[in-house]
Amino acid sequence: MSHARIIVDRDFTIADVSPRLFGSFVEHMGRCVYTGIYEPGHPEADDQGFRKDVMALAKELGATVVRYPGGNFVSGYNWEDGVGPREDRPVRIDGAWHTIETNAFGLHEFVEWARRADMEVMEAINLGTRGVDEARALVEYANHPSGTYWSDLRREHAAAAGTSGEPFGIKLWCLGNELDGPWQIGHKTAEEYGRLAQEAAKAMKLVDPNIELVAVGSSGKQMPTFGTWEQTVLTHTYDEVDYISMHAYYQEHDGDAASFLAEAVNMDGFIDGVVATIDAVKAAGKHTKQIDISFDEWNVWYQQGLETEDQPDQVAKEWKSHPRLIEDRYSVTDAVVVGTLMHSLLRHGDRVRIANQAQLVNVIAPIRSEENGPAWRQTIFWPFARIAELATGEILRLVVDADQQPTARHGDVDVIDAAATYDAETGVLSLFIANRGLEEAADVTLDLRGFTASEVLRAEVLTIPEGGDRHTANDLQSQEAVGLVPLEGVRLGDSGQSSAVTMSLPALSWAVVQVKVA
């Protein structure tokens, strides 16, 4: 049995909970769009061809903002191809994922889908093969009321489709995608990208001064230009942008589950490094405003060690429209890791104000669907959904005193990882806790300071189901093999009015505990 004490102090806060932390991502990649969110002819399709079963799960997931249309896809995409009558839209090659793009689904369809799904649109522009003129035209098309070429064309296209011609009102815009990466169409040096992004940002804000802009940061902490890329890009764009992006994907390597379960340590360090660089540029440039972070791609993604038919190198053998592509099957272990990555985002909620799990459906996603078939929740659906639902109010700064667990990649780490929020309006304290231990249960004591607990409102845990193991997953045959179940034995002090809460977490588990406090 391992042990941990978590100090939860009412006065030690980090920031308010940004609703945009619970974002998702829809890219024209694999089956995310076609047979994912959009499948005319499916028994669950609505009047626009949107799958109602997938939309219901997306709403249950609680995603608040959704990034579109990429991703690597956007760096070779002409947004004009996806507007206007479908019969007039060109069929194109997508070099990013070696597929055929029919353009049957484009900007109007996506904005309408997001409206029905109650999500804010985060639009990415192509700064790989295109530039300033296309960027400002897209903002005019999307946001200008009427009376100009692009705004009137939007209204014309909407009228022909029988939908509203009102402005889309897109607030969030990404200035390209992963242009530090040699794999990216239109890859650039930091100097080249910084100047282009600065001029595109200026032109876009001349069209709509109320938009918020995200500059491209490093595609990962492992990039050889990490740090210097951010410094150069922000030196050019600091006055024009509001955020800089971060991307990170994690996977288990060579059966090293202990290191994989501690990847939130890597995410913590990555965020701290970007914050330090932002603030160094701010100081050097004598700027007054604060640039924050948009962590607009993150998830578990098994990029190495797989030879399945849905891997990019296998798909690239022939040109297809929406082939299966990186449809990772997520296990109990993956779900616990996703929970801890969300803890990291909360712990840095003062600077990470936007985050997007990649992606929403089928492609490394919490939701899976089959063509002409059902849709279901993967294991990683559950920690995201519960945190998105229950993390409200203020993020608290916790002190965790826990037994240590050795890892090959991260050294000794706490066996318990946690985050918490407190909502003063409802008097509810929400704790999100993971036991990284593979073998031992963990006794956990919450030491409440400035709070008195009176009632346990909710206690749920995701762990290895009876008869399963850490690799157990939800799939087409066993769609509910893994989920949240009641966490028994969460106790307050004997008087019923307590400054301590105790519980025992099973080995390899993620839990949520909500307590009524005063």
Side-chain angles (χ1 to χ4, degrees):
M1 181 74 72
S2 58
H3 300 83
R5 182 170 67 106
I6 303 174
I7 299 173
V8 185
D9 195 308
R10 171 66 186 89
D11 293 328
F12 290 1
T13 62
I14 295 173
D16 64 295
V17 178
S18 168
R20 287 171 167 175
L21 279 179
F22 314 117
S24 190
F25 180 28
V26 167
E27 180 173 1
H28 283 249
M29 176 184 181
R31 298 191 311 115
C32 186
V33 172
Y34 304 106
T35 73
I37 66 173
Y38 177 73
E39 189 180 341
H42 188 278
E44 289 285 333
D46 67 11
D47 62 307
Q48 293 292 320
F50 306 147
R51 285 188 56 161
K52 292 183 289 185
D53 55 346
V54 171
M55 186 173 292
L57 289 177
K59 288 183 177 182
E60 182 186 347
L61 182 69
T64 53
V65 58
V66 58
R67 183 169 174 250
Y68 174 84
N72 293 354
F73 172 81
V74 78
S75 293
Y77 179 54
N78 298 332
W79 67 266
E80 303 93 330
D81 292 345
V83 300
R86 282 195 178 93
E87 61 272 18
D88 295 338
R89 298 181 190 178
V91 175
R92 302 281 194 191
I93 281 176
D94 168 30
W97 300 113
H98 197 87
T99 57
I100 298 297
E101 174 55 53
T102 66
N103 285 305
F105 187 97
L107 182 59
H108 281 261
E109 291 80 18
F110 184 73
V111 169
E112 179 62 19
W113 181 90
R115 184 188 67 79
R116 297 186 185 195
D118 299 321
M119 296 185 198
E120 179 184 8
V121 173
M122 183 182 195
E123 182 75 10
I125 66 168
N126 177 359
L127 288 185
T129 60
R130 309 191 81 185
V132 176
D133 198 41
E134 294 83 6
R136 67 176 181 170
L138 178 52
V139 176
E140 182 183 326
Y141 185 93
N143 288 1
H144 196 71
S146 63
T148 67
Y149 174 79
W150 290 113
S151 62
D152 285 346
L153 188 61
R154 178 197 71 241
R155 297 175 71 89
E156 177 185 324
H157 289 158
T163 59
S164 171
E166 292 303 304
F168 298 149
I170 300 173
K171 186 83 168 178
L172 286 173
W173 296 79
C174 299
L175 298 171
N177 176 77
E178 291 187 356
L179 288 155
D180 62 325
W183 60 85
Q184 200 72 196
I185 298 173
H187 162 62
K188 293 170 174 58
T189 66
E191 187 72 28
E192 291 168 339
Y193 171 73
R195 284 290 298 122
L196 176 59
Q198 180 185 30
E199 295 306 318
K202 287 160 57 178
M204 292 165 73
K205 284 195 170 182
L206 287 173
V207 177
D208 185 348
N210 297 312
I211 59 177
E212 300 172 41
L213 300 179
V214 183
V216 169
S218 292
S219 301
K221 188 180 179 183
Q222 77 285 352
M223 295 297 291
T225 54
F226 169 57
T228 58
W229 173 275
E230 283 79 2
Q231 182 181 33
T232 301
V233 168
L234 286 174
T235 298
H236 286 295
T237 63
Y238 203 98
D239 288 331
E240 286 77 30
V241 304
D242 305 280
Y243 308 89
I244 191 162
S245 73
M246 295 178 64
H247 291 179
Y249 294 100
Y250 300 99
Q251 74 168 86
E252 183 176 327
H253 294 275
D254 303 319
D256 183 4
S259 293
F260 179 45
L261 287 160
E263 288 290 14
V265 174
N266 179 289
M267 181 180 270
D268 287 339
F270 187 15
I271 295 170
D272 290 341
V274 173
V275 169
T277 304
I278 293 170
D279 291 346
V281 175
K282 177 182 178 181
K286 300 178 176 60
H287 301 285
T288 56
K289 77 171 185 180
Q290 176 175 291
I291 297 289
D292 288 325
I293 291 169
S294 173
F295 212 132
D296 47 42
E297 285 189 35
W298 70 270
N299 205 350
V300 170
W301 174 10
Y302 286 85
Q303 299 180 64
Q304 301 170 9
L306 295 180
E307 296 180 357
T308 56
E309 292 181 357
D310 66 344
Q311 297 308 297
D313 58 341
Q314 300 293 325
V315 173
K317 292 178 180 178
E318 55 183 298
W319 293 96
K320 293 182 179 180
S321 177
H322 59 271
R324 291 184 183 271
L325 194 61
I326 60 171
E327 297 189 2
D328 285 12
R329 177 178 180 270
Y330 289 117
S331 68
V332 173
T333 312
D334 300 321
V336 174
V337 172
V338 164
T340 64
L341 297 178
M342 294 196 74
H343 298 172
S344 177
L345 296 172
L346 283 172
R347 286 193 292 263
H348 295 88
D350 56 332
R351 300 303 294 271
V352 180
R353 303 299 289 172
I354 305 169
N356 305 78
Q357 187 187 48
Q359 295 180 17
L360 180 63
V361 190
N362 289 328
V363 177
I364 52 171
I367 300 169
R368 283 288 306 275
S369 69
E370 282 298 323
E371 186 172 3
N372 294 315
W376 68 94
R377 307 167 191 83
Q378 294 231 67
T379 63
I380 65 171
F381 181 100
W382 293 110
F384 188 107
R386 281 299 181 268
I387 294 178
E389 176 190 2
L390 303 178
T392 59
E394 295 178 294
I395 305 165
L396 300 180
R397 191 178 304 279
L398 305 181
V399 176
V400 178
D401 180 14
D403 289 346
Q404 298 288 288
Q405 175 170 289
T407 72
R409 292 165 63 90
H410 308 295
D412 291 343
V413 302
D414 291 336
V415 71
I416 293 296
D417 186 79
T421 62
Y422 169 61
D423 193 325
E425 290 188 6
T426 61
V428 174
L429 177 67
S430 300
L431 282 300
F432 312 105
I433 313 171
N435 179 2
R436 292 166 165 153
L438 288 163
E439 304 295 337
E440 294 186 340
D443 281 343
V444 179
T445 299
L446 306 180
D447 183 351
L448 306 184
R449 302 185 180 183
F451 293 116
T452 301
S454 60
E455 181 184 1
V456 178
L457 301 174
R458 183 194 296 253
E460 296 175 311
V461 65
L462 183 151
T463 190
I464 298 171
E466 185 176 354
D469 58 28
R470 74 180 188 88
H471 302 292
T472 301
N474 296 345
D475 54 27
L476 182 59
Q477 288 71 39
S478 303
Q479 296 174 20
E480 298 181 0
V482 180
L484 288 166
V485 298
L487 175 63
E488 306 292 346
V490 179
R491 293 182 174 85
L492 306 182
D494 293 337
S495 66
Q497 296 285 333
S498 178
S499 60
V501 181
T502 60
M503 69 195 74
S504 180
L505 299 182
L508 189 62
S509 63
W510 180 87
V512 54
V513 176
Q514 279 197 307
V515 181
K516 184 72 174 179
V517 295

